[in-house]
């Protein structure tokens, strides 16, 4: 059974850096073609893909946020970490991590429950 | 970047109705298209992957079709639990991903 869980601060101040951790089980990021991604949803707005990383360390970023994002993995801990610098109030939202399944057209098959991040002074 | 455009932005239907919603990609994405159901306070749920493949456990009243740039999600007989927002998402080349802006299905 695949599970994922996001963890990190619930409140950050403007200009601070956000660090979120996705801890997963039921699969390994050392398995060929597997990946983990991050997606967010601001209140009342659409889902927004942020970044994802593959078993081979290849990573991809939303072009509008590329300069602010870094995604890394720790295979031994079954964790993926996303950092976002220079946080703004409009970055407020629920942040999800998700398992990328290569055998399902690289779709986001399994999702964490999400973590709400509020950016406010 | 590949832009995804969904239509309509909202849709009203009655229980038992047949519902269709559309998703258009700005570039050819082949069949690298997924559909998700999003309910308030819950994580997105994968319904369809590869444009037309039903995710395990998803009711057969959901179906997807399309290839290239134009895609459709159909609910054959809407049930009360289906009222939610639906998002399409492209994964062409497993590189840069993007979501549509969503279609809200309302009673």
């Amino acid at each position: 059974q695949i599970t994922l869980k996001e963890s990190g601060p619930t409140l950050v101040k403007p200009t601070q850096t956000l660090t979120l951790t996705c801890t997963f089980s039921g699969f390994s990021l050392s398995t060929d073609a597997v990946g983990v991604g991050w997606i967010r949803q601001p209140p009342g707005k659409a889902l927004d893909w942020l970044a994802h990383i593959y078993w081979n360390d290849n990573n991809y970023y939303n072009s509008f946020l590329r300069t602010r994002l870094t995604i890394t993995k720790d295979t031994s801990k079954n964790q993926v970490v996303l950092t976002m610098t220079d946080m703004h109030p409009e970055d407020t939202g629920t942040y999800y991590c998700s398992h990328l399944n290569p055998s399902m057209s690289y779709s986001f098959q399994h999702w964490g429950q999400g973590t709400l991040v509020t950016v406010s002074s | 970047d590949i832009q995804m455009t969904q239509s309509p932005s909202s849709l009203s239907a009655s229980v038992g109705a047949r519902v269709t919603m559309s998703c258009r990609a700005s570039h050819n994405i082949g069949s690298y298209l997924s559909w998700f159901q999003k309910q308030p306070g819950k994580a997105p749920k994968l319904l369809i992957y590869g444009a037309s493949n039903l995710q395990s456990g998803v009711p057969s009243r959901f179906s997807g079709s399309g290839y290239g740039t134009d895609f459709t999600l159909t609910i054959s007989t809407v049930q009360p639990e289906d009222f939610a927002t639906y998002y399409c998402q492209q994964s062409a080349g497993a590189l840069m991903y993007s979501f549509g802006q969503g279609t809200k299905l309302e009673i």
Side-chain angles (χ1 to χ4, degrees):
Chain A
Q1 181 189 3
I2 290 176
T3 64
L4 304 98
K5 188 172 185 179
E6 307 85 353
S7 59
T10 58
L11 179 65
V12 297
K13 290 181 168 51
T15 75
Q16 286 187 336
T17 294
L18 171 69
T19 299
L20 293 174
T21 300
C22 176
T23 303
F24 56 85
S25 62
F27 69 97
S28 172
L29 254 181
S30 60
T31 300
D32 195 26
V34 170
V36 171
W38 286 93
I39 302 96
R40 70 178 179 181
Q41 185 175 37
K45 295 189 176 181
L47 296 170
D48 188 21
W49 167 72
L50 297 177
H52 60 267
I53 189 166
Y54 287 108
W55 88 106
N56 58 1
D57 281 321
N58 285 353
N59 51 50
Y60 301 92
Y61 296 100
N62 181 313
S63 58
F64 294 103
L65 297 168
R66 181 188 307 274
T67 60
R68 299 173 52 205
L69 293 173
T70 303
I71 189 169
T72 58
K73 67 179 179 64
D74 186 330
T75 304
S76 65
K77 292 183 179 179
N78 280 353
Q79 290 182 333
V80 170
V81 175
L82 180 77
T83 60
M84 180 180 290
T85 62
D86 191 25
M87 293 291 284
H88 308 290
E90 52 266 35
D91 294 316
T92 292
T94 300
Y95 287 71
Y96 299 95
C97 65
S98 181
H99 162 255
L100 270 171
N101 190 329
S103 62
M104 296 173 70
S105 301
Y106 291 90
S107 64
F108 290 119
Q109 182 184 12
H110 299 281
W111 294 66
Q113 63 190 22
T115 185
L116 178 60
V117 177
T118 301
V119 183
S120 174
S121 56
Chain B
D1 293 6
I2 298 175
Q3 311 301 320
M4 307 301 292
T5 302
Q6 290 185 243
S7 62
S9 56
S10 65
L11 184 56
S12 295
S14 300
V15 173
R18 179 183 179 88
V19 163
T20 299
M21 59 192 75
S22 298
C23 176
R24 175 166 288 180
S26 62
H27 298 76
N28 186 337
I29 60 170
S31 60
Y32 284 93
L33 192 283
S34 301
W35 288 97
F36 295 88
Q37 179 189 67
K38 180 67 171 71
Q39 294 180 325
K42 295 186 177 182
K45 176 184 177 182
L46 177 66
L47 301 175
I48 302 286
Y49 65 93
S52 61
N53 298 289
L54 193 67
Q55 162 72 337
S56 177
V58 173
S60 59
R61 62 180 180 272
F62 290 92
S63 63
S65 64
Y67 185 87
T69 60
D70 291 305
F71 302 86
T72 300
L73 175 70
T74 300
I75 309 174
S76 59
T77 309
V78 172
Q79 298 301 302
E81 60 268 30
D82 299 339
F83 293 98
T85 301
Y86 293 85
Y87 292 93
C88 62
Q89 176 250 322
Q90 65 82 19
S91 55
L95 305 176
M96 309 290 286
Y97 288 19
S98 51
F99 286 89
Q101 80 278 21
T103 292
K104 186 175 184 179
L105 178 59
E106 301 173 301
I107 299 174

